[in-house]
Amino acid sequence: MHYTGTIWRPPYEASSLLLEVTAGCTHHKCKFCTLYNELPFRFKMSPREDVEADLREAREALESWEDGHIDRVFLTGADPFALSYGRLAAIAELIHRYLPSVKSIGAFARITNVTPKTDEELARLRALGYDGLTIGIETGDDQALRFMNKGYGSSDIIAQCRRLDMAGIHYSFFYLVGISGAGRGEIGARATAALCGRLHPTLIGANMLTIYPDSELYAEIQRGAWQEEGELEKYREVRTLIEELRIPTAFAAMGASNAYQFYGRLPKDKGKLLSFLDGIIENVSEEGLRQYRENVHHL
């Protein structure tokens, strides 16, 4: 299989076939992000022959399995949904040719990946199997989105996700706990709950902001331009977000950035999740949580 650099996937894509069609990030300007530093300012379409060779290899491997099939493919890279409709359609056709058991194709996506595609193209991509995108919206707090150079605002999130809804393409959100900065965590949580209340994410995944010295955000902190939330404030922020959400969705904290991992369905499990978070807030020390944060050497 052809892979470039570190390969990232959501926890819930563990059973998916990981297929590289892009490397790096089209944006690469978010102040907090260091995930693609090994591929600075670079975005490439993997050669078609590499994709086809990987699919042949996957098919040969599957033939040796007892059941011999796989249901889902996840396209790797920071935002492979940035590829044009034509390229995404060609990739889907290759996947279905070599792996006819595949029912859906997922990927990371930026909000700006959706914008240039027409409504008709989105509907066609859904018909080709594209479903279950993972979108790092980070927050509904426009002040934080601007400061972190996300490249879009909350109104863009609403507009483009509604287009995905119309096309029948399901999506999950990554929420970055702490992105609003010290003293503003619960403000960001409420703004995000209000935004999500107008959309239909199948899952909201919380990740705790972890700041590394090679990030632009670290430099902003050194200049005194931004202050990091405390660890307990981050948990109060998560609690506020869950409390304010009024939509049916899954809520999870499953990645390595989370000292305490949990999962539940809203609204059914809201009380259980809030009680779990209350236990952390009341019984775990800031120092203990900070020690965990400092030992997260890489996400």
Side-chain angles (χ1 to χ4, degrees):
M1 302 292 284
H2 296 86
Y3 294 119
T4 305
T6 303
I7 300 302
W8 306 99
R9 60 152 177 83
Y12 44 81
E13 297 286 358
S15 62
S16 303
L17 171 68
L18 304 181
L19 180 68
E20 178 176 287
V21 298
T22 64
C25 178
T26 57
H27 186 61
H28 204 68
K29 295 176 183 176
C30 299
K31 292 183 180 180
F32 56 83
C33 185
T34 60
L35 294 185
Y36 297 93
N37 277 3
E38 74 272 21
L39 295 172
F41 308 108
R42 179 179 166 199
F43 177 81
K44 72 176 185 67
M45 171 65 181
S46 295
R48 179 188 174 99
E49 56 267 26
D50 286 355
V51 175
E52 201 158 0
D54 287 348
L55 288 168
R56 280 197 300 268
E57 183 178 340
R59 182 177 64 184
E60 290 167 4
L62 286 169
E63 287 171 351
S64 67
W65 290 14
E66 185 175 344
D67 58 3
H69 78 281
I70 193 163
D71 293 333
R72 182 166 170 82
V73 169
F74 185 79
L75 307 181
T76 68
D79 56 337
F81 204 67
L83 293 175
S84 68
Y85 163 77
R87 285 184 171 178
L88 289 171
I91 290 165
E93 289 164 3
L94 281 174
I95 290 170
H96 294 309
R97 182 194 309 168
Y98 284 95
L99 303 172
S101 64
V102 168
K103 295 182 177 64
S104 66
I105 304 166
F108 283 123
R110 280 178 50 81
I111 290 298
T112 52
N113 297 165
V114 181
T115 308
K117 296 175 176 65
T118 68
D119 291 344
E120 184 179 10
E121 286 172 341
L122 290 174
R124 287 178 179 173
L125 289 173
R126 178 63 185 92
L128 287 168
Y130 285 93
D131 196 26
L133 301 178
T134 295
I135 305 173
I137 63 163
E138 322 304 358
T139 183
D141 176 1
D142 278 311
Q143 180 176 316
L145 290 170
R146 283 191 299 271
F147 180 80
M148 295 296 177
N149 287 338
K150 279 301 297 182
Y152 52 75
S154 61
S155 62
D156 302 305
I157 298 171
I158 293 167
Q160 299 309 316
C161 287
R162 283 179 171 170
R163 296 182 64 227
L164 292 176
D165 288 336
M166 289 174 55
I169 297 176
H170 299 88
Y171 49 87
S172 298
F173 288 157
F174 274 178
Y175 174 72
L176 191 55
V177 186
I179 191 173
S180 292
R184 300 191 75 255
E186 293 183 73
I187 293 172
R190 291 190 178 92
T192 304
L195 179 149
C196 291
R198 301 173 66 181
L199 300 170
H200 302 89
T202 58
L203 178 143
I204 300 170
N207 296 294
M208 297 281 183
L209 177 63
T210 305
I211 302 166
Y212 294 101
D214 54 344
S215 68
E216 188 178 347
L217 183 56
Y218 182 85
E220 292 279 22
I221 294 171
Q222 300 308 301
R223 288 193 288 268
W226 194 83
Q227 186 177 351
E228 183 180 5
E229 281 184 35
E231 296 300 312
L232 285 171
E233 183 180 356
K234 290 175 184 173
Y235 279 95
R236 289 192 292 271
E237 177 181 343
V238 176
R239 190 192 190 287
T240 297
L241 175 57
I242 293 173
E243 188 171 39
E244 294 287 323
L245 283 169
R246 300 288 184 268
I247 57 171
T249 189
F251 194 97
M254 297 185 290
S257 68
N258 298 287
Y260 293 90
Q261 300 191 352
F262 55 89
Y263 174 92
R265 300 282 321 176
L266 300 178
K268 178 172 69 74
D269 298 323
K270 180 178 285 194
K272 180 178 70 175
L273 293 177
L274 294 177
S275 294
F276 178 77
L277 290 166
D278 285 339
I280 296 170
I281 293 165
E282 293 167 10
N283 299 308
V284 181
S285 70
E286 178 74 24
E287 293 74 20
L289 291 170
R290 173 50 57 179
Q291 185 176 17
Y292 179 87
R293 180 75 45 232
E294 292 173 352
N295 282 284
V296 180
H297 298 301
H298 206 296
L299 297 176

